[in-house]
Amino acid sequence: MTGVDWGELTRSDWADLMFYGVLGTYFAVTVPKLFRGNFKAAFGAMAFWIAALFIALAGYAYRYELRDVADRVMAMLVPGTAIETGYKEVTVIRRPDGQFVVNGAVSGRRIAFVLDTGASAVVLRAEDASKARIPLDRLTFDVEVATANGRTLAAETVLPRLSIGPITQRDVKALVARPGALHENLLGMSFLDGLSSFTVSNDKLVMRGK
């Protein structure tokens, strides 16, 4: 068994030792005074605070794992939640109907998209395009597109900024469908091609930015 090499302790290690030393001294001195003559109550109080301290330390030690669990629970409760799982990387859980819904933002305005690798471009509903401050009255609806409701006309535009979690792309080519022609916005290849990679495995969509 080797002893502690005090010379290798970092400033953070010394700070931790001082903190826990002061905390231990405080409880050792204070608790007996509070429960003088009542050792059972004193023991119960000590046990409670030791357990609370242990839980707090365990929570701090496993804070990253707990945050990952919390993110995954949130993704299950709120479909479309983009879980940040790495540097410029997000993971999205599949919706119960089998589709991937991705919550994003167009020029700072929150907009939900359905992943559609068959769409050559990002396609916005007219209502959401208006919310993102795209002037509909300046658009020309002359591009024929196929939707779940059949064929309709859309207008070409460029999104100044499209963000999915920490992934942001600028000047993204997009289409705006005529009012009432589209039920959901589509996250198409004009955004997906700008990623470093995207993969679908089981019920997870993983997107990595450049």
Side-chain angles (χ1 to χ4, degrees):
M1 182 176 181
T2 60
V4 176
D5 188 344
W6 300 99
E8 293 185 358
L9 294 180
T10 65
R11 183 178 299 179
S12 177
D13 294 331
W14 282 108
D16 289 341
L17 284 173
M18 290 180 64
F19 172 76
Y20 294 120
V22 171
L23 189 66
T25 302
Y26 171 79
F27 284 118
V29 173
T30 304
V31 172
K33 288 183 178 180
L34 291 175
F35 300 96
R36 187 174 299 168
N38 190 340
F39 295 106
K40 184 177 181 180
F43 178 79
M46 285 287 288
F48 170 80
W49 285 110
I50 290 173
L53 180 61
F54 176 80
I55 293 172
L57 290 174
Y60 179 79
Y62 292 96
R63 61 192 181 280
Y64 299 114
E65 290 82 356
L66 292 173
R67 185 176 66 181
D68 182 61
V69 171
D71 286 341
R72 293 180 184 280
V73 171
M74 181 61 67
M76 295 299 294
L77 295 176
V78 185
T81 300
I83 309 167
E84 188 172 347
T85 51
Y87 177 69
K88 289 189 178 182
E89 177 185 287
V90 296
T91 299
V92 179
I93 305 300
R94 191 188 299 271
R95 200 165 61 177
D97 65 0
Q99 294 182 316
F100 287 103
V101 177
V102 184
N103 289 332
V106 176
S107 298
R109 301 286 179 167
R110 182 177 176 180
I111 292 178
F113 296 88
V114 172
L115 177 72
D116 188 349
T117 57
S120 61
V122 171
V123 186
L124 290 176
R125 302 187 317 134
E127 297 81 356
D128 286 317
S130 179
K131 185 170 68 173
R133 298 179 180 176
I134 296 174
L136 300 183
D137 57 343
R138 298 181 185 177
L139 299 179
T140 302
F141 294 89
D142 58 357
V143 180
E144 189 173 281
V145 296
T147 71
N149 297 331
R151 306 193 73 82
T152 187
L153 293 177
E156 293 181 324
T157 189
V158 175
L159 307 180
R161 188 173 74 254
L162 173 55
S163 301
I164 306 292
I167 303 172
T168 296
Q169 294 182 20
R170 299 183 182 277
D171 299 328
V172 179
K173 292 182 179 181
L175 296 172
V176 176
R178 294 184 65 178
L182 199 65
H183 293 308
E184 295 181 296
N185 304 295
L186 306 179
L187 191 65
M189 297 306 297
S190 60
F191 178 84
L192 299 175
D193 280 340
L195 298 172
S196 173
S197 67
F198 70 95
T199 57
V200 174
S201 178
N202 297 323
D203 291 327
K204 296 179 183 178
L205 164 67
V206 179
M207 295 185 289
R208 300 178 181 88
K210 293 181 178 179

